[in-house]
C-alpha cells in the first residue's frame, strides 16, 4: 500500500467538536519505556519457563511483538495476547501473586512485574512530553473544542501530572475507569466512547488521535468522525490499514481550522 505525505492533516471544527487524545506515544514520550518494561518482564518469564520445561525461550521481540500484541491494550489483555501468540496459557491470578518464576507466574503477576519496572524508570528519569502535547490541546480549547485524554494505563493521572499536562483536558478516561465500570480495552472502542459520552459530543463529531494500531482500530470501530494516526516508528501503512483517516509524524503537523459550535 502506497502511503503519501498527508495533505489533509486538519482538524476542522466545522465537523469536529471534540478531540480524544491517547497518552503514551501521543502526548508523553513513554511508549519506549513501556516496551522496554514489557521486554524485561516477558524475557525473565520465558527464560525461567524454558529452564524448567525445555520450551522455546525466544525473547520478546522489539518492536514486532510489542506492536502486534501489547501496544495500546489494557495491561492484562496485553499479557494474555502475547502469551497466546506463544501457545502459553497461565492462570489469571491476583495482585498478590509472586514474581515470574515458573509455578508462580500468572497473568496478573506478569502484569504487575511490568508495571513495577515501568514505574521504577519513571521515578528515576521522569516523564517527557512531546513538544506539541501542550500546544495542540490549548489551541483546540481556545477555539471552543473540548478535549479528552484516554489511556488504558492505571497510572495515567500520575503521568499527566509528571508531564505538566493534568490541567489541559476536560475529561480523563483511564485504566482505573475501565476496571471500575467494566470497560473492555482497545481495540474495543469503549474507552473512547466513554470519553465522548463524558464530553457530551457524539462520536461522529469527535476526533481520535492515536499512535497504536489497536487504538486506531478502536477509533474506526467506534465510528469516530476523524481518526488521526501518529507515526512515531515508520508505521504509516499499518495505521492507515487499521483505520486512520490521516497519519502525521508529530502533533505539530495538525492544523486547526474554524471554531467549534
Amino acid at each position: 500500500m502506497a502511503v503519501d505525505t498527508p495533505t489533509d492533516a486538519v482538524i476542522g471544527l466545522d465537523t469536529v467538536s471534540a478531540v480524544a487524545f491517547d497518552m503514551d506515544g501521543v502526548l508523553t514520550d513513554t511508549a519506549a519505556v513501556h516496551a522496554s518494561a514489557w521486554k524485561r518482564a516477558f524475557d525473565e518469564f520465558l527464560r525461567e519457563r524454558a529452564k524448567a520445561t525445555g520450551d522455546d525461550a525466544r525473547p520478546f521481540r522489539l518492536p514486532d511483538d510489542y506492536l502486534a500484541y501489547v501496544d495500546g491494550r489494557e495491561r492484562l489483555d496485553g499479557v494474555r495476547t502475547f502469551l497466546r501468540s506463544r501457545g502459553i496459557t497461565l492462570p489469571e491470578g491476583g495482585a498478590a501473586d509472586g514474581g515470574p518464576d515458573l509455578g508462580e507466574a500468572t497473568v496478573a503477576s506478569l502484569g504487575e512485574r511490568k508495571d513495577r519496572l515501568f514505574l521504577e524508570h519513571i521515578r528515576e528519569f521522569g516523564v517527557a512530553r512531546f513538544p506539541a502535547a501542550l500546544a495542540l490541546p490549548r489551541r483546540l480549547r481556545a477555539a471552543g473544542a473540548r478535549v479528552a485524554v484516554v489511556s488504558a494505563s492505571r497510572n495515567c493521572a500520575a503521568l499527566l501530572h509528571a508531564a505538566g499536562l493534568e490541567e489541559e483536558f476536560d475529561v480523563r478516561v483511564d485504566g482505573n475507569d475501565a476496571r471500575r465500570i467494566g470497560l473492555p480495552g482497545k481495540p474495543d472502542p469503549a474507552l473512547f466512547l466513554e470519553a465522548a459520552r463524558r464530553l457530551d459530543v457524539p462520536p461522529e463529531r469527535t476526533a481520535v488521535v492515536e499512535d497504536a494500531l489497536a487504538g486506531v482500530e478502536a477509533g474506526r470501530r467506534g465510528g469516530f468522525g476523524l481518526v488521526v494516526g501518529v507515526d512515531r516508528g515508520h508505521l504509516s501503512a499499518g495505521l492507515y490499514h487499521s483505520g486512520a483517516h490521516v497519519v502525521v509524524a508529530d502533533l505539530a503537523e495538525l492544523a486547526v481550522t474554524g471554531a467549534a459550535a
Side-chain angles (χ1 to χ4, degrees):
M1 175 179 177
V3 178
D4 298 322
T5 300
T7 58
D8 54 349
V10 174
I11 299 176
L13 299 184
D14 54 336
T15 58
V16 167
S17 301
V19 180
F21 292 88
D22 174 55
M23 181 181 67
D24 291 305
V26 172
L27 301 171
T28 59
D29 192 7
T30 44
V33 184
H34 280 291
S36 176
W38 278 118
K39 179 169 177 59
R40 287 181 62 188
F42 280 130
D43 284 356
E44 289 172 4
F45 163 73
L46 292 168
R47 283 195 300 268
E48 290 302 313
R49 182 181 177 87
K51 286 178 186 176
T53 66
D55 285 355
D56 186 355
R58 283 177 301 141
F60 184 80
R61 298 170 301 159
L62 293 178
D64 295 354
D65 286 337
Y66 177 70
L67 295 173
Y69 306 119
V70 174
D71 189 24
R73 297 178 185 271
E74 185 274 330
R75 189 192 331 153
L76 298 187
D77 188 42
V79 175
R80 297 183 197 102
T81 304
F82 171 68
L83 293 180
R84 193 180 305 124
S85 77
R86 297 293 180 91
I88 298 171
T89 302
L90 293 179
E92 288 294 305
D97 291 341
D101 294 334
L102 191 68
E104 298 179 339
T106 64
V107 169
S109 72
L110 282 173
E112 290 299 318
R113 171 64 175 156
K114 177 266 170 183
D115 203 41
R116 288 196 298 273
L117 292 168
F118 175 77
L119 292 175
E120 285 171 8
H121 184 283
I122 295 302
R123 282 192 292 268
E124 184 172 358
F125 299 106
V127 178
R129 69 179 184 228
F130 289 106
L134 194 63
L136 182 57
R138 286 185 174 179
R139 211 176 346 147
L140 288 162
R141 293 176 95 182
R146 290 173 60 73
V147 294
V149 58
V150 176
S151 174
S153 174
R154 286 183 285 168
N155 301 310
C156 180
L159 294 176
L160 290 173
H161 175 76
L165 294 170
E166 62 185 332
E167 302 298 329
E168 304 304 323
F169 299 91
D170 301 297
V171 162
R172 183 184 80 243
V173 179
D174 61 20
N176 295 304
D177 295 299
R179 172 185 260 183
R180 179 173 53 83
I181 59 181
L183 299 175
K186 306 166 191 174
D188 192 286
L191 289 168
F192 285 120
L193 291 171
E194 177 64 14
R197 185 191 69 78
R198 294 184 189 184
L199 291 170
D200 197 25
V201 177
E204 61 268 21
R205 288 195 61 86
T206 301
V208 165
V209 183
E210 259 282 3
D211 71 316
L213 300 179
V216 166
E217 182 181 343
R220 174 184 60 78
R221 289 171 57 180
F224 287 87
L226 176 65
V227 181
V228 178
V230 181
D231 179 16
R232 303 286 189 194
H234 309 292
L235 292 174
S236 290
L239 291 166
Y240 277 118
H241 181 75
S242 296
H245 298 117
V246 62
V247 174
V248 297
D250 187 83
L251 296 181
E253 296 179 17
L254 287 166
V256 177
T257 61

